[in-house]
């Protein structure tokens, strides 16, 4: 029997992964939607395979992710996300052999291969992730340039507003705000709202009066 922990906040993704894992009746699958629940499940199942969408979870940065993985050294992790930055992938992959990596739009075969590898204690890094990790860095990275709209959205995120709340305030659709968020994260080279806030604070786009307590 193998224990799996689904740590993904997208209902459709969780349903698909649950269906895939349940094809083997010997698998036991647990689900969680936050870091506290994940930590508790790992205390109970220290050798579990964690399938995590880092970009949608409340783990604030790669350092915190690595600390959790080191605390539960018998666990294996599959990072399954829409998008991850080069710097994040390099830090995680070079720091620990516990992590497998692939993207949500890759083939079903790749996802199955990753699950099988992690179940056997082996690491799986998809071809796309490998190419991203090995791609050459630009010698000098230009500072990110956000539009006025994007900076306003970063400020709203820093205030703790949800995507729906931001959309309502701007008379926009949730889809439009999600598109802005993806563009902001891509430009800043970050994966999470917390990382975007830290970048914006350092860049002087926001000050402590905007930060959500």
């Amino acid at each position: 029997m193998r224990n799996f922990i689904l740590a993904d906040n997208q209902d459709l993704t969780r349903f698909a992964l649950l269906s895939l894992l349940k094809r083997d009746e010997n698998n036991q699958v647990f689900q969680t939607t936050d870091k506290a629940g994940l930590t508790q499940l790992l205390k109970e199942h220290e050798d579990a395979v964690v399938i995590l969408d880092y970009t949608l979870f409340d783990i604030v940065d790669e350092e915190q992710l690595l600390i959790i993985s080191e605390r539960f050294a018998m666990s294996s992790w599959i990072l399954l996300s829409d998008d991850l930055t080069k710097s994040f992938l390099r830090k995680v992959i070079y720091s620990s052999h516990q992590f497998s990596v692939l993207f949500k739009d890759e083939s079903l075969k790749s996802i199955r291969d990753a699950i099988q590898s992690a179940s056997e204690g082996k690491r799986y890094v998809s071809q796309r992730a490998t190419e991203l990790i090995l791609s050459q860095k630009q010698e000098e990275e230009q500072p990110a340039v956000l539009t006025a709209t994007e900076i306003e959205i970063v400020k709203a995120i820093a205030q703790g507003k949800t995507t729906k709340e931001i959309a309502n305030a701007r008379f926009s659709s949730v889809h439009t705000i999600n598109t802005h968020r993806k563009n902001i994260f891509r430009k800043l080279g970050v994966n999470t709202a917390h990382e975007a806030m830290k970048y914006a604070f350092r860049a002087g786009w926001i000050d402590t009066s905007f930060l959500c307590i």
Side-chain angles (χ1 to χ4, degrees):
M1 181 183 72
R2 188 73 204 209
N3 294 320
F4 290 86
I5 300 174
L6 295 185
D8 193 304
N9 289 319
Q10 286 184 331
D11 291 340
L12 185 58
T13 303
R14 277 206 314 275
F15 176 79
L17 289 170
L18 185 61
S19 299
L20 185 61
L21 294 170
K22 283 296 187 180
R23 290 184 179 181
D24 185 341
E25 296 179 354
N26 293 320
N27 290 338
Q28 190 168 5
V29 185
F30 306 91
Q31 300 183 58
T32 182
T33 58
D34 58 33
K35 182 182 65 180
L38 173 59
T39 302
Q40 183 58 44
L41 284 172
L42 281 169
K43 288 179 181 178
E44 299 168 6
H45 311 283
E46 294 186 351
D47 63 344
V49 175
V50 180
I51 304 179
L52 170 72
D53 187 338
Y54 170 77
T55 62
L56 296 179
F57 225 62
D58 62 340
I59 295 175
V60 298
D61 55 28
E62 63 266 31
E63 295 294 342
Q64 190 175 83
L65 175 62
L66 288 168
I67 288 170
I68 296 172
S69 68
E70 289 171 4
R71 179 181 175 187
F72 301 100
M74 295 175 62
S75 63
S76 298
W77 297 67
I78 300 174
L79 300 181
L80 180 64
S81 296
D82 285 324
D83 195 18
L84 292 167
T85 64
K86 294 179 187 178
S87 59
F88 171 84
L89 288 174
R90 287 177 176 137
K91 180 67 176 291
V92 171
I93 290 297
Y94 295 155
S95 297
S96 173
H97 288 279
Q98 291 172 258
F99 292 94
S100 297
V101 180
L102 73 163
F103 297 96
K104 285 187 174 179
D105 60 355
E106 298 199 53
S107 68
L108 183 58
K109 181 182 182 302
S110 294
I111 296 174
R112 285 173 173 159
D113 288 346
I115 292 172
Q116 182 63 35
S117 295
S119 298
E120 297 172 356
K122 302 174 184 176
R123 180 157 73 180
Y124 178 93
V125 181
S126 72
Q127 182 64 32
R128 177 179 160 192
T130 299
E131 291 173 355
L132 191 60
I133 292 167
L134 296 178
S135 62
Q136 292 294 319
K137 283 186 175 180
Q138 296 180 351
E139 291 185 5
E140 291 187 15
E141 295 185 3
Q142 297 298 319
V145 178
L146 299 189
T147 66
T149 295
E150 289 169 341
I151 291 176
E152 288 303 313
I153 290 174
V154 171
K155 290 179 179 179
I157 292 171
Q159 291 174 304
K161 293 182 179 179
T162 65
T163 299
K164 185 176 181 180
E165 289 171 338
I166 298 171
N168 290 340
R170 300 188 63 82
F171 303 101
S172 300
S173 69
V174 170
H175 174 74
T176 297
I177 300 303
N178 277 330
T179 299
H180 279 306
R181 283 172 62 100
K182 288 182 180 180
N183 288 337
I184 291 166
F185 288 8
R186 175 180 53 78
K187 288 181 179 181
L188 300 185
V190 301
N191 297 289
T192 67
H194 182 84
E195 292 173 354
M197 286 165 52
K198 289 197 297 184
Y199 190 109
F201 181 75
R202 291 194 301 268
W205 297 333
I206 60 175
D207 56 42
T208 53
S209 65
F210 281 101
L211 298 180
C212 176
I213 304 301

